[in-house]
PDB file of all heavy atoms in Angstrom:
ATOM      1  N   ASN A   1       0.811  -1.218   0.000  1.00  0.00           N
ATOM      2  CA  ASN A   1       0.000   0.000   0.000  1.00  0.00           C
ATOM      3  C   ASN A   1       0.841   1.264   0.000  1.00  0.00           C
ATOM      4  O   ASN A   1       0.300   2.375   0.068  1.00  0.00           O
ATOM      5  CB  ASN A   1      -0.929   0.018   1.216  1.00  0.00           C
ATOM      6  CG  ASN A   1      -2.021  -1.036   1.120  1.00  0.00           C
ATOM      7  OD1 ASN A   1      -2.406  -1.428   0.016  1.00  0.00           O
ATOM      8  ND2 ASN A   1      -2.506  -1.492   2.251  1.00  0.00           N
ATOM      9  N   GLY A   2       2.184   1.128  -0.029  1.00  0.00           N
ATOM     10  CA  GLY A   2       3.049   2.289  -0.075  1.00  0.00           C
ATOM     11  C   GLY A   2       3.440   2.855   1.273  1.00  0.00           C
ATOM     12  O   GLY A   2       4.048   3.935   1.345  1.00  0.00           O
ATOM     13  N   ASP A   3       3.124   2.155   2.364  1.00  0.00           N
ATOM     14  CA  ASP A   3       3.505   2.617   3.698  1.00  0.00           C
ATOM     15  C   ASP A   3       4.936   2.199   4.022  1.00  0.00           C
ATOM     16  O   ASP A   3       5.436   1.204   3.481  1.00  0.00           O
ATOM     17  CB  ASP A   3       2.559   2.030   4.752  1.00  0.00           C
ATOM     18  CG  ASP A   3       1.142   2.539   4.602  1.00  0.00           C
ATOM     19  OD1 ASP A   3       0.969   3.766   4.486  1.00  0.00           O
ATOM     20  OD2 ASP A   3       0.215   1.701   4.595  1.00  0.00           O
ATOM     21  N   PRO A   4       5.619   2.916   4.934  1.00  0.00           N
ATOM     22  CA  PRO A   4       6.966   2.512   5.340  1.00  0.00           C
ATOM     23  C   PRO A   4       6.975   1.108   5.945  1.00  0.00           C
ATOM     24  O   PRO A   4       6.067   0.737   6.702  1.00  0.00           O
ATOM     25  CB  PRO A   4       7.349   3.569   6.386  1.00  0.00           C
ATOM     26  CG  PRO A   4       6.512   4.753   6.045  1.00  0.00           C
ATOM     27  CD  PRO A   4       5.210   4.187   5.561  1.00  0.00           C
ATOM     28  N   TRP A   5       8.013   0.358   5.599  1.00  0.00           N
ATOM     29  CA  TRP A   5       8.206  -1.007   6.111  1.00  0.00           C
ATOM     30  C   TRP A   5       9.703  -1.131   6.390  1.00  0.00           C
ATOM     31  O   TRP A   5      10.508  -1.240   5.474  1.00  0.00           O
ATOM     32  CB  TRP A   5       7.734  -2.004   5.069  1.00  0.00           C
ATOM     33  CG  TRP A   5       7.668  -3.425   5.526  1.00  0.00           C
ATOM     34  CD1 TRP A   5       7.789  -3.917   6.789  1.00  0.00           C
ATOM     35  CD2 TRP A   5       7.456  -4.571   4.680  1.00  0.00           C
ATOM     36  NE1 TRP A   5       7.658  -5.276   6.798  1.00  0.00           N
ATOM     37  CE2 TRP A   5       7.451  -5.704   5.518  1.00  0.00           C
ATOM     38  CE3 TRP A   5       7.276  -4.728   3.307  1.00  0.00           C
ATOM     39  CZ2 TRP A   5       7.281  -6.987   5.004  1.00  0.00           C
ATOM     40  CZ3 TRP A   5       7.095  -6.003   2.804  1.00  0.00           C
ATOM     41  CH2 TRP A   5       7.094  -7.128   3.637  1.00  0.00           C
ATOM     42  N   ILE A   6      10.057  -1.065   7.654  1.00  0.00           N
ATOM     43  CA  ILE A   6      11.452  -0.899   8.068  1.00  0.00           C
ATOM     44  C   ILE A   6      11.861  -2.076   8.943  1.00  0.00           C
ATOM     45  O   ILE A   6      11.102  -2.525   9.805  1.00  0.00           O
ATOM     46  CB  ILE A   6      11.619   0.418   8.858  1.00  0.00           C
ATOM     47  CG1 ILE A   6      11.091   1.599   8.028  1.00  0.00           C
ATOM     48  CG2 ILE A   6      13.083   0.654   9.235  1.00  0.00           C
ATOM     49  CD1 ILE A   6      10.844   2.855   8.854  1.00  0.00           C
ATOM     50  N   ALA A   7      13.067  -2.572   8.725  1.00  0.00           N
ATOM     51  CA  ALA A   7      13.557  -3.689   9.534  1.00  0.00           C
ATOM     52  C   ALA A   7      15.076  -3.611   9.651  1.00  0.00           C
ATOM     53  O   ALA A   7      15.756  -3.044   8.792  1.00  0.00           O
ATOM     54  CB  ALA A   7      13.137  -5.021   8.919  1.00  0.00           C
ATOM     55  N   THR A   8      15.592  -4.206  10.721  1.00  0.00           N
ATOM     56  CA  THR A   8      17.033  -4.253  10.962  1.00  0.00           C
ATOM     57  C   THR A   8      17.553  -5.666  10.771  1.00  0.00           C
ATOM     58  O   THR A   8      16.839  -6.651  10.962  1.00  0.00           O
ATOM     59  CB  THR A   8      17.372  -3.802  12.391  1.00  0.00           C
ATOM     60  OG1 THR A   8      16.698  -4.663  13.335  1.00  0.00           O
ATOM     61  CG2 THR A   8      16.934  -2.358  12.628  1.00  0.00           C
ATOM     62  N   SER A   9      18.829  -5.765  10.399  1.00  0.00           N
ATOM     63  CA  SER A   9      19.528  -7.048  10.340  1.00  0.00           C
ATOM     64  C   SER A   9      21.004  -6.771  10.554  1.00  0.00           C
ATOM     65  O   SER A   9      21.502  -5.717  10.166  1.00  0.00           O
ATOM     66  CB  SER A   9      19.297  -7.755   8.995  1.00  0.00           C
ATOM     67  OG  SER A   9      19.677  -6.914   7.911  1.00  0.00           O
ATOM     68  N   GLY A  10      21.721  -7.725  11.173  1.00  0.00           N
ATOM     69  CA  GLY A  10      23.130  -7.429  11.434  1.00  0.00           C
ATOM     70  C   GLY A  10      23.921  -8.551  12.064  1.00  0.00           C
ATOM     71  O   GLY A  10      24.869  -8.291  12.807  1.00  0.00           O
ATOM     72  N   GLN A  11      23.557  -9.814  11.759  1.00  0.00           N
ATOM     73  CA  GLN A  11      24.252 -10.915  12.431  1.00  0.00           C
ATOM     74  C   GLN A  11      25.747 -10.922  12.165  1.00  0.00           C
ATOM     75  O   GLN A  11      26.542 -10.970  13.095  1.00  0.00           O
ATOM     76  CB  GLN A  11      23.653 -12.257  11.996  1.00  0.00           C
ATOM     77  CG  GLN A  11      24.317 -13.446  12.700  1.00  0.00           C
ATOM     78  CD  GLN A  11      23.698 -14.774  12.283  1.00  0.00           C
ATOM     79  OE1 GLN A  11      23.632 -15.080  11.105  1.00  0.00           O
ATOM     80  NE2 GLN A  11      23.247 -15.544  13.235  1.00  0.00           N
ATOM     81  N   THR A  12      26.161 -10.880  10.909  1.00  0.00           N
ATOM     82  CA  THR A  12      27.590 -10.954  10.614  1.00  0.00           C
ATOM     83  C   THR A  12      28.237  -9.580  10.513  1.00  0.00           C
ATOM     84  O   THR A  12      29.447  -9.455  10.666  1.00  0.00           O
ATOM     85  CB  THR A  12      27.840 -11.719   9.302  1.00  0.00           C
ATOM     86  OG1 THR A  12      27.125 -11.087   8.235  1.00  0.00           O
ATOM     87  CG2 THR A  12      27.376 -13.162   9.437  1.00  0.00           C
ATOM     88  N   ALA A  13      27.441  -8.539  10.231  1.00  0.00           N
ATOM     89  CA  ALA A  13      28.003  -7.195  10.112  1.00  0.00           C
ATOM     90  C   ALA A  13      28.049  -6.470  11.450  1.00  0.00           C
ATOM     91  O   ALA A  13      28.881  -5.588  11.645  1.00  0.00           O
ATOM     92  CB  ALA A  13      27.197  -6.378   9.106  1.00  0.00           C
ATOM     93  N   GLY A  14      27.171  -6.810  12.378  1.00  0.00           N
ATOM     94  CA  GLY A  14      27.224  -6.233  13.708  1.00  0.00           C
ATOM     95  C   GLY A  14      26.074  -5.308  14.026  1.00  0.00           C
ATOM     96  O   GLY A  14      25.576  -4.576  13.164  1.00  0.00           O
ATOM     97  N   ALA A  15      25.667  -5.320  15.301  1.00  0.00           N
ATOM     98  CA  ALA A  15      24.587  -4.443  15.754  1.00  0.00           C
ATOM     99  C   ALA A  15      24.993  -2.985  15.734  1.00  0.00           C
ATOM    100  O   ALA A  15      24.143  -2.094  15.739  1.00  0.00           O
ATOM    101  CB  ALA A  15      24.169  -4.843  17.175  1.00  0.00           C
ATOM    102  N   ASP A  16      26.307  -2.709  15.694  1.00  0.00           N
ATOM    103  CA  ASP A  16      26.782  -1.326  15.684  1.00  0.00           C
ATOM    104  C   ASP A  16      26.428  -0.597  14.396  1.00  0.00           C
ATOM    105  O   ASP A  16      26.699   0.594  14.260  1.00  0.00           O
ATOM    106  CB  ASP A  16      28.286  -1.267  15.930  1.00  0.00           C
ATOM    107  CG  ASP A  16      29.100  -1.988  14.860  1.00  0.00           C
ATOM    108  OD1 ASP A  16      28.654  -3.053  14.404  1.00  0.00           O
ATOM    109  OD2 ASP A  16      30.168  -1.491  14.495  1.00  0.00           O
ATOM    110  N   LEU A  17      25.816  -1.277  13.443  1.00  0.00           N
ATOM    111  CA  LEU A  17      25.323  -0.609  12.246  1.00  0.00           C
ATOM    112  C   LEU A  17      24.230   0.400  12.577  1.00  0.00           C
ATOM    113  O   LEU A  17      23.998   1.339  11.814  1.00  0.00           O
ATOM    114  CB  LEU A  17      24.777  -1.635  11.251  1.00  0.00           C
ATOM    115  CG  LEU A  17      25.812  -2.452  10.480  1.00  0.00           C
ATOM    116  CD1 LEU A  17      25.129  -3.549   9.701  1.00  0.00           C
ATOM    117  CD2 LEU A  17      26.615  -1.557   9.555  1.00  0.00           C
ATOM    118  N   TRP A  18      23.535   0.189  13.731  1.00  0.00           N
ATOM    119  CA  TRP A  18      22.427   1.105  14.016  1.00  0.00           C
ATOM    120  C   TRP A  18      22.341   1.553  15.476  1.00  0.00           C
ATOM    121  O   TRP A  18      21.541   2.430  15.789  1.00  0.00           O
ATOM    122  CB  TRP A  18      21.102   0.517  13.544  1.00  0.00           C
ATOM    123  CG  TRP A  18      20.648  -0.766  14.195  1.00  0.00           C
ATOM    124  CD1 TRP A  18      21.158  -2.014  14.016  1.00  0.00           C
ATOM    125  CD2 TRP A  18      19.559  -0.919  15.109  1.00  0.00           C
ATOM    126  NE1 TRP A  18      20.465  -2.939  14.754  1.00  0.00           N
ATOM    127  CE2 TRP A  18      19.470  -2.294  15.426  1.00  0.00           C
ATOM    128  CE3 TRP A  18      18.642  -0.043  15.685  1.00  0.00           C
ATOM    129  CZ2 TRP A  18      18.510  -2.814  16.303  1.00  0.00           C
ATOM    130  CZ3 TRP A  18      17.673  -0.556  16.553  1.00  0.00           C
ATOM    131  CH2 TRP A  18      17.615  -1.923  16.845  1.00  0.00           C
ATOM    132  N   TRP A  19      23.184   0.999  16.360  1.00  0.00           N
ATOM    133  CA  TRP A  19      23.210   1.524  17.734  1.00  0.00           C
ATOM    134  C   TRP A  19      24.569   1.258  18.376  1.00  0.00           C
ATOM    135  O   TRP A  19      25.263   0.309  18.003  1.00  0.00           O
ATOM    136  CB  TRP A  19      22.060   0.957  18.575  1.00  0.00           C
ATOM    137  CG  TRP A  19      21.983  -0.536  18.739  1.00  0.00           C
ATOM    138  CD1 TRP A  19      21.584  -1.442  17.818  1.00  0.00           C
ATOM    139  CD2 TRP A  19      22.281  -1.286  19.933  1.00  0.00           C
ATOM    140  NE1 TRP A  19      21.610  -2.718  18.342  1.00  0.00           N
ATOM    141  CE2 TRP A  19      22.034  -2.655  19.634  1.00  0.00           C
ATOM    142  CE3 TRP A  19      22.725  -0.951  21.206  1.00  0.00           C
ATOM    143  CZ2 TRP A  19      22.219  -3.662  20.575  1.00  0.00           C
ATOM    144  CZ3 TRP A  19      22.904  -1.953  22.152  1.00  0.00           C
ATOM    145  CH2 TRP A  19      22.655  -3.301  21.827  1.00  0.00           C
ATOM    146  N   PRO A  20      24.991   2.114  19.327  1.00  0.00           N
ATOM    147  CA  PRO A  20      26.286   1.938  19.989  1.00  0.00           C
ATOM    148  C   PRO A  20      26.257   0.712  20.893  1.00  0.00           C
ATOM    149  O   PRO A  20      25.335   0.537  21.698  1.00  0.00           O
ATOM    150  CB  PRO A  20      26.444   3.224  20.829  1.00  0.00           C
ATOM    151  CG  PRO A  20      25.407   4.167  20.316  1.00  0.00           C
ATOM    152  CD  PRO A  20      24.287   3.326  19.801  1.00  0.00           C
ATOM    153  N   VAL A  21      27.284  -0.131  20.792  1.00  0.00           N
ATOM    154  CA  VAL A  21      27.224  -1.427  21.446  1.00  0.00           C
ATOM    155  C   VAL A  21      28.629  -2.005  21.569  1.00  0.00           C
ATOM    156  O   VAL A  21      29.529  -1.642  20.803  1.00  0.00           O
ATOM    157  CB  VAL A  21      26.319  -2.383  20.613  1.00  0.00           C
ATOM    158  CG1 VAL A  21      26.910  -2.621  19.224  1.00  0.00           C
ATOM    159  CG2 VAL A  21      26.077  -3.711  21.318  1.00  0.00           C
ATOM    160  N   LYS A  22      28.825  -2.867  22.507  1.00  0.00           N
ATOM    161  CA  LYS A  22      30.024  -3.704  22.540  1.00  0.00           C
ATOM    162  C   LYS A  22      29.736  -4.867  21.592  1.00  0.00           C
ATOM    163  O   LYS A  22      29.050  -5.821  21.941  1.00  0.00           O
ATOM    164  CB  LYS A  22      30.307  -4.198  23.956  1.00  0.00           C
ATOM    165  CG  LYS A  22      31.530  -5.108  24.091  1.00  0.00           C
ATOM    166  CD  LYS A  22      31.720  -5.517  25.548  1.00  0.00           C
ATOM    167  CE  LYS A  22      32.853  -6.503  25.732  1.00  0.00           C
ATOM    168  NZ  LYS A  22      33.013  -6.891  27.168  1.00  0.00           N
ATOM    169  N   ASP A  23      30.286  -4.778  20.396  1.00  0.00           N
ATOM    170  CA  ASP A  23      29.890  -5.684  19.320  1.00  0.00           C
ATOM    171  C   ASP A  23      30.740  -6.948  19.343  1.00  0.00           C
ATOM    172  O   ASP A  23      31.642  -7.128  18.520  1.00  0.00           O
ATOM    173  CB  ASP A  23      30.001  -4.973  17.970  1.00  0.00           C
ATOM    174  CG  ASP A  23      29.508  -5.835  16.828  1.00  0.00           C
ATOM    175  OD1 ASP A  23      28.531  -6.575  17.053  1.00  0.00           O
ATOM    176  OD2 ASP A  23      30.106  -5.783  15.743  1.00  0.00           O
ATOM    177  N   HIS A  24      30.441  -7.807  20.287  1.00  0.00           N
ATOM    178  CA  HIS A  24      31.150  -9.082  20.395  1.00  0.00           C
ATOM    179  C   HIS A  24      30.206 -10.096  21.028  1.00  0.00           C
ATOM    180  O   HIS A  24      29.510  -9.779  22.001  1.00  0.00           O
ATOM    181  CB  HIS A  24      32.408  -8.932  21.260  1.00  0.00           C
ATOM    182  CG  HIS A  24      33.391 -10.033  21.057  1.00  0.00           C
ATOM    183  ND1 HIS A  24      33.279 -11.258  21.693  1.00  0.00           N
ATOM    184  CD2 HIS A  24      34.504 -10.122  20.279  1.00  0.00           C
ATOM    185  CE1 HIS A  24      34.287 -12.040  21.321  1.00  0.00           C
ATOM    186  NE2 HIS A  24      35.037 -11.366  20.469  1.00  0.00           N
ATOM    187  N   PRO A  25      30.155 -11.330  20.497  1.00  0.00           N
ATOM    188  CA  PRO A  25      29.183 -12.298  21.009  1.00  0.00           C
ATOM    189  C   PRO A  25      29.427 -12.722  22.450  1.00  0.00           C
ATOM    190  O   PRO A  25      28.530 -13.293  23.084  1.00  0.00           O
ATOM    191  CB  PRO A  25      29.328 -13.488  20.048  1.00  0.00           C
ATOM    192  CG  PRO A  25      30.703 -13.359  19.475  1.00  0.00           C
ATOM    193  CD  PRO A  25      30.952 -11.880  19.376  1.00  0.00           C
ATOM    194  N   SER A  26      30.612 -12.447  22.990  1.00  0.00           N
ATOM    195  CA  SER A  26      30.949 -12.911  24.335  1.00  0.00           C
ATOM    196  C   SER A  26      30.271 -12.110  25.441  1.00  0.00           C
ATOM    197  O   SER A  26      30.298 -12.518  26.602  1.00  0.00           O
ATOM    198  CB  SER A  26      32.470 -12.857  24.548  1.00  0.00           C
ATOM    199  OG  SER A  26      32.934 -11.518  24.484  1.00  0.00           O
TER     200      SER A  26
END
């Protein structure tokens, strides 16, 4: 219908793509 549809992804690239974080699985 033309409405915004927004989603995040970042398993191998890291959560730091969109928020400040200690980007390590440990």
Side-chain angles (χ1 to χ4, degrees):
N1 291 333
D3 294 311
W5 189 10
I6 305 163
T8 59
S9 56
Q11 182 179 55
T12 57
D16 62 321
L17 285 172
W18 63 287
W19 59 285
V21 63
K22 179 179 176 180
D23 184 36
H24 199 278
S26 64

